[in-house]
Amino acid sequence: MATIEKRMGKDGKYNYRVKIRLRGFPSQEATFKRLTDAKAYVQQTEAAIREGRHFKTTEAKRRTLGELIDRYIKEITPHKPKNNKNTILHLQWWKKELGKYSLSEITPARIAEKRDQLAAEMTNRNKLRSPSTVVRYLAALSHALTIAMKEWQWIEDSPMRRVLKPKEPRGRVRFLSDDERSRLLAECKNSESTYLYTAVVLALSTGGRRMEILGLSWKDVDFDRGVITLHETKNGERRVLPLAGHALELMKQHAKVRHVSCDLVFPGKNLKAPVDLRTPFETALKRAEITDFRWHDLRHSCASYLAMNGASLAEIAEILGHKTLQMVKRYAHLSEAHTSKVVARMNEAIFKI
């Protein structure tokens, strides 16, 4: 129920005070100079309250993006996967740029302006931010706004739904040729680091990420079953790596000389943190005369070898720990020979003459 009261102000002019009372909802008040505006407010506000839109709009005007980000970092990021360090970094950038604005003022146009600013800024390495990095900044803000919409009901809709993301380049597929692999493994064997050869073989054999390999604990290695269990992964889910062949034999030999007082498979000098193999690996690459290759490309090499040896995209995704096939489609062209054989066998079976 709404009432409109005509009152005279201090300036001698009349205004109209509106009071709206609906059972189950807080009362709303507003003052207008014209009666037509007061009546329009009543009609719009009552409809918005009944449809559940009014109080979200009120919260959006009362809350700032800075408040949203602070609450998100405090309540949500502790429960997210290990990448929350970067998420917090990205959100702090948004807070610095737009934190003072109320949520009702965070429009698609304002976000798009900052998106373009992100893409034009130079990084600490004196390079422009890549489209992939800009997408990650946008993704961090997008999830925070989604939580504010769905769980906190601070906004009615997320403005990110109408912001275009930069087009990311096709995924990199750099893998070692047979000759490069032989040269690299030979240099890893000759490395000053006693861990480098085993770690590189393990990465090539299992497709594990750098810190998944270097952060391994002996308690997660099961020689009887031939598996390694990863409890901490990039997407936060437990994953099992198959341990077979040369990698399995190397790990068994390595276990014989493990440090009794340390559970890390590849411990650093203080036995409390994993060893840093960056310099030994780069030295081995240089001695092997291999260019344009990073540690993460060992993972690409594993996926590429799987594809070329008949593994399906679903199998590659499972081994690498990807939730969708989209991430492994970059290797599809490497399995064309296997696919052709499958189609040929199918044709022989159904077109028997």
Side-chain angles (χ1 to χ4, degrees):
M1 177 180 177
T3 59
I4 301 177
E5 181 183 355
K6 185 177 180 180
R7 305 178 64 185
M8 181 179 287
K10 293 181 180 180
D11 57 359
K13 296 181 180 180
Y14 287 102
N15 54 48
Y16 300 88
R17 187 171 69 176
V18 178
K19 288 185 179 181
I20 300 175
R21 294 185 180 90
L22 289 177
R23 182 174 293 180
F25 298 98
S27 62
Q28 303 296 311
E29 295 185 10
T31 302
F32 300 90
K33 293 181 179 181
R34 299 192 306 167
L35 180 60
T36 53
D37 292 338
K39 289 180 177 179
Y41 174 77
V42 169
Q43 185 177 9
Q44 294 169 3
T45 303
E46 286 185 340
I49 291 174
R50 291 190 177 97
E51 294 171 11
R53 294 183 287 107
H54 176 71
F55 295 105
K56 292 180 184 177
T57 304
T58 302
E59 286 294 316
K61 291 178 179 178
R62 190 165 66 90
R63 306 282 188 176
T64 66
L65 182 64
E67 288 180 73
L68 184 155
I69 288 173
D70 287 342
R71 181 177 176 183
Y72 183 91
I73 290 175
K74 180 180 178 180
E75 298 181 10
I76 305 300
T77 55
H79 306 291
K80 289 175 67 67
K82 293 180 68 176
N83 199 38
N84 63 9
K85 182 178 180 181
N86 286 332
T87 299
I88 293 172
L89 179 69
H90 298 159
L91 288 174
Q92 293 289 8
W93 186 90
W94 287 108
K95 180 180 177 180
K96 176 173 68 74
E97 296 295 328
L98 298 175
K100 65 182 180 180
Y101 290 99
S102 69
L103 294 177
S104 62
E105 296 176 298
I106 303 299
T107 62
R110 187 157 273 152
I111 295 174
E113 180 184 354
K114 293 302 175 181
R115 173 203 62 199
D116 296 341
Q117 178 183 324
L118 263 171
E121 283 182 348
M122 303 296 286
T123 67
N124 293 333
R125 297 180 179 179
N126 203 31
K127 293 182 179 179
L128 288 174
R129 283 195 180 91
S130 68
S132 298
T133 301
V134 175
V135 167
R136 292 188 185 97
Y137 273 80
L138 291 169
L141 179 62
S142 179
H143 192 255
L145 289 168
T146 298
I147 292 295
M149 176 184 68
K150 292 184 175 180
E151 296 191 11
W152 304 340
Q153 297 189 342
W154 284 6
I155 53 177
E156 187 174 351
D157 193 16
S158 171
M160 285 297 302
R161 288 154 60 96
R162 298 188 297 279
V163 177
L164 295 177
K165 296 178 181 178
K167 186 175 182 181
E168 297 185 68
R170 294 181 63 184
R172 172 185 170 97
V173 184
R174 170 68 167 101
F175 62 93
L176 294 167
S177 67
D178 291 344
D179 182 54
E180 286 179 324
R181 186 176 66 254
S182 297
R183 298 203 314 266
L184 177 60
L185 290 177
E187 293 300 335
C188 288
K189 269 188 177 180
N190 295 329
S191 172
E192 291 79 2
S193 170
T194 56
Y195 297 141
L196 183 62
Y197 180 70
T198 301
V200 168
V201 169
L202 204 55
L204 284 172
S205 175
T206 66
R209 297 179 177 90
R210 183 174 66 90
M211 286 314 299
E212 290 175 347
I213 298 294
L214 298 184
L216 278 178
S217 296
W218 284 112
K219 66 177 183 295
D220 300 325
V221 181
D222 189 331
F223 289 118
D224 294 331
R225 292 170 53 216
V227 296
I228 292 172
T229 303
L230 300 176
H231 299 284
E232 298 287 342
T233 63
K234 184 177 180 180
N235 61 22
E237 294 187 356
R238 184 179 288 108
R239 187 164 100 253
V240 174
L241 300 179
L243 188 58
H246 186 46
L248 175 59
E249 292 306 314
L250 279 177
M251 286 293 285
K252 286 181 177 178
Q253 294 174 22
H254 185 41
K256 295 177 182 178
V257 293
R258 58 175 289 192
H259 291 274
V260 179
S261 58
C262 178
D263 192 47
L264 287 171
V265 175
F266 302 108
K269 290 183 179 180
N270 62 5
L271 304 183
K272 295 180 179 179
V275 67
D276 185 354
L277 293 179
R278 190 168 309 173
T279 299
F281 182 66
E282 290 175 354
T283 300
L285 287 172
K286 187 175 181 180
R287 289 175 177 172
E289 299 181 348
I290 296 173
T291 58
D292 186 32
F293 196 85
R294 303 170 300 197
W295 183 285
H296 195 73
D297 292 326
L298 296 172
R299 180 171 162 85
H300 293 318
S301 295
C302 174
S304 301
Y305 299 152
L306 287 168
M308 289 186 287
N309 283 278
S312 67
L313 294 184
E315 289 169 332
I316 296 173
E318 183 176 355
I319 292 169
L320 297 188
H322 293 308
K323 291 184 177 180
T324 67
L325 297 183
Q326 189 64 36
M327 290 294 292
V328 294
K329 282 186 176 179
R330 70 183 78 176
Y331 309 110
H333 68 287
L334 299 173
S335 60
E336 289 175 357
H338 174 68
T339 304
S340 297
K341 292 177 182 177
V342 171
V343 174
R345 288 199 301 270
M346 179 270 291
N347 275 271
E348 290 177 5
I350 66 175
F351 297 117
K352 291 181 179 179
I353 301 176

